[in-house]
Amino acid sequence: MGHKFLVAFCLWALTCSLLPASSRGLLRIGLKKQQRDLQSINAARIARQELKSARIAEGTHNYLGNSDEDLVPLKNYLDAQYYGEIGIGTPPQTFSVIFDTGSSNLWVPSSKCFLSIACYFHSKFKSGKSSTYTKNGKSCQINYGSGSISGFFSEDNVEIGDAVVKDQVFIEATREGTITFVLAKFDGILGLGFQEISVGNAVPLWYNMLKQDLVSEQVFSFWLNRDPNAEEGGEIVFGGVDPKHFKGKHTYVPVTEKGYWQFEMGDFLIGNISTGVCEGGCAAIVDSGTSLLAGPTPVITEINHAIGAEGVVSAECKEVVTGYGDLIWDLLVSGLQPHKICSTLGLCFGSVAQSTSSGIEMNQLKQKQTKEKVLDYINQLCEALPSPAGESMINCDSISQLPNITFTIKDKPFTLTPDQYILKTGEGGLEVCISGFIALDVPPPRGPLWILGDVFMGVYHTVFDYGNLQIGFAKAV
């Protein structure tokens, strides 16, 4: 009898271990992957250009805002590739959303959205069809730079995986920026950042998942499938990690500032050569709502030059070389720092001038090159500057000869190979290759800032440990 009981118990234990993850306090959300095409790339380029124009017109530099300003990180969601489904209301109305670690609000289009074209191409929430809906009505607006969404707060149950988050405050969008959202494959955004950057100080859905004991651990993790031929786009696990999605152990770094998932990054290498840019530490955030890798213009220019990416030749940059080349050389040789040279010459209002002088210091002076070589190199940097919209193209045939790019995190190297940081779209003679690096100059005190988006997260499985305020990275499989 005792033997039979032991066998039965073992079978019961084995059965429990094979039950769906949600029964053990894990919630799994499958992600869909949007394939890149030239239409979406061109639309993303237009949106970025409009964003830049809008900032010049407004005279603002709030690339990253705070809860007082009701701004969220600079991003172009049209570039985002990974999205999943949730349900809102009773019975649940289904929406496709970007799970975004770079913002903190949940919003979907409202049935009361009449004047925005984007709303007619996506699912809209109908409060009258939900038996658990609670009216809030407070108006709000989220500015994304190239546009914004505005609407009002509402409250209802949100179905995520097999769990239901009760009484979740979210935004019903009644107006959306048309260019960014019309062609998007998703309906809305589900923010997974901290409440410190939540518009209207709304409690994020993740906080309520913890408060309502819907997960066993205060952790969620991302696996993004970078295989272009795979049907499965990826997976988010709320409440833990799936060991099938990574190998080895995670390297953990502390969150240095709550709001975004921000940490301190170390040295940055092109090939095996240090740029010296982040030897003293650089602020970085992990942002699942950004497709590419964004960084300061000087370093992005260096990368583009190293990988042969072509931006737009800058007349302003060429003029700086012609008019100030000799003087810049003399001042650099004397030991004056590039930013001080920039101020001395009155060139700091031009990002090109700053990029040029910084680039010289990083790559040429350390190698004690001659004046002629340095000035020639400046001209090369001019040609490698990102285009006004931020994107840079590359010859697809040259990928095998390109250098690796390495980020240092907790004194460990996290390397991206050319196949991992170059994005491809199209086939045959229509194939287009795009640099995974775009320029983004975030001013102090927030910046300079690196944004590690899906290009990085696809290579490194990422754990967002809310309980211990840390982020973990391990090789994704």
Side-chain angles (χ1 to χ4, degrees):
M1 182 70 178
H3 175 70
K4 290 182 179 179
F5 175 78
L6 179 61
V7 171
F9 177 80
C10 290
L11 287 173
W12 172 80
L14 178 62
T15 302
C16 288
S17 69
L18 298 176
L19 288 175
S22 58
S23 65
R24 303 196 306 274
L26 292 179
L27 298 175
R28 298 176 184 271
I29 309 296
L31 298 177
K32 300 177 182 179
K33 184 178 180 181
Q34 173 183 344
Q35 296 301 317
R36 287 182 172 274
D37 54 46
L38 291 177
Q39 183 184 37
S40 64
I41 291 170
N42 287 332
R45 183 188 301 115
I46 293 171
R48 276 195 293 268
Q49 181 60 50
E50 287 204 346
L51 182 146
K52 180 179 179 182
S53 300
R55 293 205 174 280
I56 293 173
E58 295 167 5
T60 178
H61 299 284
N62 292 321
Y63 287 94
L64 293 179
N66 54 49
S67 56
D68 293 329
E69 296 170 321
D70 280 359
L71 294 176
V72 297
L74 167 66
K75 61 175 74 243
N76 174 24
Y77 283 114
L78 198 60
D79 271 333
Q81 288 184 280
Y82 298 91
Y83 56 95
E85 291 187 348
I86 62 170
I88 302 179
T90 307
Q93 300 171 38
T94 303
F95 297 91
S96 294
V97 295
I98 297 291
F99 290 88
D100 178 24
T101 58
S103 65
S104 299
N105 291 86
L106 167 61
W107 69 262
V108 296
S110 172
S111 61
K112 298 177 177 62
C113 180
F114 303 114
L115 301 179
S116 292
I117 297 175
C119 289
Y120 291 92
F121 289 86
H122 297 96
S123 300
K124 295 186 285 188
F125 178 71
K126 302 174 179 64
S127 58
K129 292 190 175 182
S130 173
S131 62
T132 48
Y133 169 77
T134 300
K135 182 178 180 180
N136 179 306
K138 180 183 176 183
S139 62
C140 61
Q141 176 170 309
I142 302 181
N143 299 306
Y144 290 102
S146 60
S148 63
I149 67 104
S150 61
F152 57 91
F153 285 104
S154 290
E155 188 175 308
D156 210 329
N157 293 347
V158 176
E159 183 180 83
I160 181 165
D162 296 328
V164 176
V165 181
K166 296 181 179 179
D167 304 320
Q168 175 64 45
V169 173
F170 66 100
I171 297 171
E172 288 192 51
T174 55
R175 183 174 63 82
E176 299 181 26
T178 55
I179 290 180
T180 307
F181 298 110
V182 168
L183 296 177
K185 302 295 185 183
F186 55 89
D187 302 312
I189 309 294
L190 194 161
L192 293 171
F194 293 89
Q195 189 170 0
E196 278 78 357
I197 59 169
S198 175
V199 172
N201 200 36
V203 177
L205 181 136
W206 168 243
Y207 285 43
N208 282 328
M209 291 175 70
L210 298 176
K211 184 178 180 181
Q212 297 173 27
D213 294 323
L214 298 178
V215 294
S216 57
E217 292 184 60
Q218 297 185 39
V219 168
F220 60 89
S221 55
F222 271 79
W223 169 65
L224 304 181
N225 192 346
R226 300 301 280 183
D227 182 352
N229 300 315
E231 292 185 9
E232 188 179 18
E235 186 177 65
I236 304 176
V237 179
F238 290 99
V241 298
D242 187 336
K244 298 195 303 292
H245 293 328
F246 66 91
K247 62 181 179 181
K249 293 184 178 181
H250 287 82
T251 296
Y252 283 93
V253 289
V255 172
T256 54
E257 185 173 343
K258 289 175 67 177
Y260 314 103
W261 287 89
Q262 183 171 326
F263 66 99
E264 185 171 280
M265 186 174 72
D267 198 9
F268 184 88
L269 292 81
I270 300 175
N272 295 318
I273 301 174
S274 167
T275 63
V277 174
C278 294
E279 284 182 334
C282 282
I285 66 173
V286 191
D287 184 2
S288 60
T290 294
S291 182
L292 307 179
L293 273 157
T297 296
V299 193
I300 297 301
T301 302
E302 287 292 323
I303 296 171
N304 285 340
H305 173 66
I307 67 178
E310 296 180 354
V312 173
V313 177
S314 171
E316 178 190 357
C317 184
K318 295 285 188 178
E319 289 175 5
V320 168
V321 177
T322 301
Y324 298 96
D326 291 342
L327 183 54
I328 289 175
W329 168 259
D330 292 338
L331 292 173
L332 283 170
V333 170
S334 70
L336 196 63
Q337 294 296 312
H339 69 276
K340 292 184 178 179
I341 296 174
C342 178
S343 299
T344 301
L345 299 179
L347 298 173
C348 287
F349 294 103
S351 61
V352 172
Q354 296 180 65
S355 303
T356 302
S357 58
S358 296
I360 300 167
E361 180 190 48
M362 286 186 292
N363 287 279
Q364 298 298 306
L365 291 184
K366 288 184 178 181
Q367 298 176 30
K368 301 185 185 302
Q369 297 283 8
T370 65
K371 175 181 176 180
E372 289 72 23
K373 289 184 177 180
V374 170
L375 294 180
D376 179 64
Y377 187 74
I378 296 175
N379 280 306
Q380 294 178 36
L381 285 181
C382 288
E383 296 176 2
L385 282 170
S387 72
E391 78 291 338
S392 294
M393 314 298 282
I394 191 166
N395 184 340
C396 296
D397 295 332
S398 67
I399 292 179
S400 61
Q401 282 83 47
L402 300 182
N404 291 338
I405 304 295
T406 301
F407 299 85
T408 304
I409 301 175
K410 203 72 177 289
D411 297 325
K412 295 183 179 180
F414 288 79
T415 299
L416 300 181
T417 65
D419 284 326
Q420 292 168 339
Y421 65 72
I422 298 297
L423 307 178
K424 298 179 182 179
T425 184
E427 296 180 354
L430 297 177
E431 187 176 52
V432 174
C433 292
I434 304 167
S435 169
F437 297 90
I438 59 172
L440 172 61
D441 294 307
V442 181
R446 278 276 183 197
L449 188 69
W450 284 86
I451 299 179
L452 307 188
D454 297 344
V455 168
F456 185 87
M457 292 177 66
V459 180
Y460 295 101
H461 179 268
T462 308
V463 176
F464 297 84
D465 187 344
Y466 178 83
N468 296 305
L469 288 180
Q470 60 182 1
I471 312 165
F473 304 100
K475 189 71 175 179
V477 293

